[in-house]
Amino acid sequence: QSFIQHHNMHSFVKTVALSALFLSAGCEAFAPPSGMGLSNSHKMAFTPRPIARSSFSGTMLYAGPEEGAAKDEEIERLKTMAAKLRADAAALEAEKANELAKVAEQAFRKFDTNQDGEISLAELKQGLEKTLKTELSEKRVEALMEAFDTSGDGALQLDEFVGVDKFRNQLEALAREEKQLAIEAQLEAKKEAEEAILAEARLSLLNDNEPSNSDKLVSVLPYLFPLMDGLQFGRFLLEGGQDNPFVIIVALLFTLYKSIPFGGFIAFFALNFLSSNYSINRLVRFNMQQAIFLDIALFFPGLIFSLFTLVLGPLGVNVPAAVTEVGTDAVFVSLLAVLGYCSVSSLLGFEPDKIPLVSKATSDRMPTMDTIDNFMRRDPEDDNNNKRD
């Protein structure tokens, strides 16, 4: 440090001296010859002319004929002094570089504890911790080695050793970078925590969790609705089955169902209303909607039979009883197969979504997270404007 201060002071003194010489030369160049200020006749007799352009400025120097040679000599003298000052400054720079090289070599020898001509990662860590009096992590030392190891051999040679001060500056830069990365990591963690809270809140609004055992059992009950309305197609198959336990249970349920006034409408609206309750498990809500669509689908076979009777009756053509029986039996068997598939799949915890047309229509009716998000982002003012329009 004393060497650098001495060098800076020496450079400053020489710079001031050179500036004073330049200023003095400029003032003399613009001053009139001595005695010319005594009379106007002398002033009129003096006619300035350009004699030279200074190498250190763009100002034209003027002087009388008798002073031309003196000015040339002054300019040459200044050029010589400037060249000498530049030489001195170059010498000081070389001296400074040599001094720094000696200091770097001495520090290199201290770091190179095994004197093998290179500084390993362990030697660099040990030397920096001893010099800086602080503990450094392996990660930071590795980052330093990577930054200054230009040869890429995993060690520092003398020409790669930049000195303790540059190592300190690089460590400070690494510390600032790590601090910034830590801040960014904290912000990212905070953002992820907020997203997790939001996702949990969304899940509380829409129950799309895995169904529990009770959910699986409850999800089968909605299919009693299309079964009750489809029993009319199974009258031929169920005749004579009074001793069958399945037929007895179905008969009891059908009797109870028909004993309720407008039981079909009540079941329809109840299932439709409950399927809109997002807190109910998705499997239960899906089966409620699919049971409604299956019940609606049972309307079409009866409509077809009625149309055949309506069209062929006036023509005197009667539909054979065997055809009617086979048709109704086919509808009832198909209904039992669909309800069996839905029940088994639901008890296993899987959505019965493989029924053609019906399952597609049911899936389209099921709300999703995007539906909830769009509903929450909807502006009430827009709704009011739409109502006014």
Side-chain angles (χ1 to χ4, degrees):
Q1 291 181 353
S2 61
F3 166 73
I4 295 174
Q5 292 175 354
H6 171 72
H7 167 66
N8 292 338
M9 181 60 70
H10 185 64
S11 301
F12 175 73
V13 171
K14 287 194 173 184
T15 303
V16 173
L18 181 59
S19 300
L21 286 174
F22 286 167
L23 181 61
S24 174
C27 292
E28 290 178 1
F30 284 99
S34 59
M36 290 191 66
L38 298 177
S39 64
N40 293 331
S41 61
H42 287 135
K43 294 180 180 178
M44 296 297 294
F46 173 70
T47 303
R49 65 183 180 84
I51 62 171
R53 180 178 295 273
S54 172
S55 62
F56 55 87
S57 71
T59 306
M60 190 70 70
L61 302 178
Y62 293 89
E66 67 280 5
E67 295 187 357
K71 297 301 180 184
D72 290 339
E73 293 177 0
E74 181 69 15
I75 291 174
E76 292 300 325
R77 186 176 67 84
L78 291 175
K79 288 182 178 180
T80 302
M81 291 183 63
K84 185 176 182 302
L85 289 174
R86 287 195 294 270
D88 291 342
L92 284 174
E93 290 293 334
E95 183 180 353
K96 177 183 177 182
N98 290 333
E99 187 69 21
L100 292 176
K102 291 180 180 179
V103 173
E105 185 175 359
Q106 292 175 358
F108 182 86
R109 301 306 176 196
K110 290 181 180 179
F111 277 61
D112 185 15
T113 56
N114 59 3
Q115 302 300 317
D116 61 349
E118 61 182 19
I119 299 175
S120 64
L121 185 66
E123 290 174 332
L124 180 62
K125 183 177 185 297
Q126 181 181 359
L128 287 175
E129 289 180 342
K130 184 178 179 181
T131 304
L132 302 178
K133 295 179 175 57
T134 183
E135 186 176 353
L136 299 175
S137 64
E138 292 286 345
K139 183 179 179 181
R140 288 194 178 183
V141 180
E142 290 175 359
L144 279 179
M145 180 67 75
E146 184 179 353
F148 295 105
D149 181 19
T150 56
S151 62
D153 59 355
L156 294 180
Q157 284 72 38
L158 180 58
D159 58 338
E160 297 173 331
F161 191 80
V162 294
V164 177
D165 289 337
K166 289 190 177 181
F167 282 136
R168 181 187 289 110
N169 294 337
Q170 184 67 19
L171 283 172
E172 292 175 353
L174 288 174
R176 289 192 297 269
E177 182 179 355
E178 290 177 359
K179 184 178 180 180
Q180 182 63 30
L181 291 176
I183 293 174
E184 293 177 356
Q186 289 178 355
L187 293 176
E188 185 66 22
K190 183 179 179 181
K191 181 180 178 181
E192 291 180 356
E194 292 176 350
E195 290 179 352
I197 294 174
L198 180 60
E200 186 176 353
R202 292 163 62 194
L203 286 176
S204 64
L205 293 176
L206 186 62
N207 187 356
D208 280 352
N209 302 324
E210 289 293 325
S212 62
N213 292 331
S214 59
D215 292 331
K216 295 175 184 178
L217 292 174
V218 173
S219 66
V220 178
L221 298 179
Y223 292 111
L224 291 175
F225 176 46
L227 177 62
M228 295 296 101
D229 286 342
L231 286 177
Q232 57 179 320
F233 299 102
R235 60 184 181 273
F236 298 109
L237 291 175
L238 296 177
E239 287 181 355
Q242 290 81 1
D243 297 333
N244 190 323
F246 174 75
V247 176
I248 295 173
I249 294 173
V250 170
L252 292 175
L253 292 175
F254 183 76
T255 302
L256 179 63
Y257 177 70
K258 289 298 183 180
S259 65
I260 301 174
F262 306 103
F265 288 101
I266 294 175
F268 176 86
F269 288 111
L271 291 176
N272 189 57
F273 175 77
L274 292 174
S275 64
S276 301
N277 186 351
Y278 298 156
S279 62
I280 298 176
N281 187 264
R282 175 183 172 87
L283 179 62
V284 180
R285 289 184 285 112
F286 182 90
N287 286 346
M288 288 179 179
Q289 283 290 336
Q290 185 154 264
I292 292 175
F293 281 110
L294 288 175
D295 192 76
I296 294 174
L298 291 175
F299 169 76
F300 293 99
L303 178 62
I304 293 173
F305 289 147
S306 300
L307 289 176
F308 268 107
T309 302
L310 183 64
V311 172
L312 298 178
L315 299 177
V317 179
N318 295 324
V319 179
V323 174
T324 303
E325 182 176 348
V326 171
T328 55
D329 289 346
V331 172
F332 188 68
V333 171
S334 300
L335 176 62
L336 290 179
V338 169
L339 296 182
Y341 157 73
C342 293
S343 299
V344 173
S345 180
S346 299
L347 291 174
L348 294 176
F350 301 105
E351 285 186 1
D353 55 358
K354 300 298 187 292
I355 304 174
L357 300 177
V358 175
S359 294
K360 177 64 169 56
T362 303
S363 298
D364 292 341
R365 290 271 298 172
M366 297 299 294
T368 60
M369 287 296 184
D370 294 335
T371 307
I372 300 297
D373 290 341
N374 293 333
F375 178 78
M376 295 177 66
R377 286 195 297 263
R378 189 175 60 186
D379 191 352
E381 293 184 359
D382 294 340
D383 295 340
N384 295 332
N385 294 333
N386 294 332
K387 289 180 181 179
R388 285 195 295 267
D389 294 340

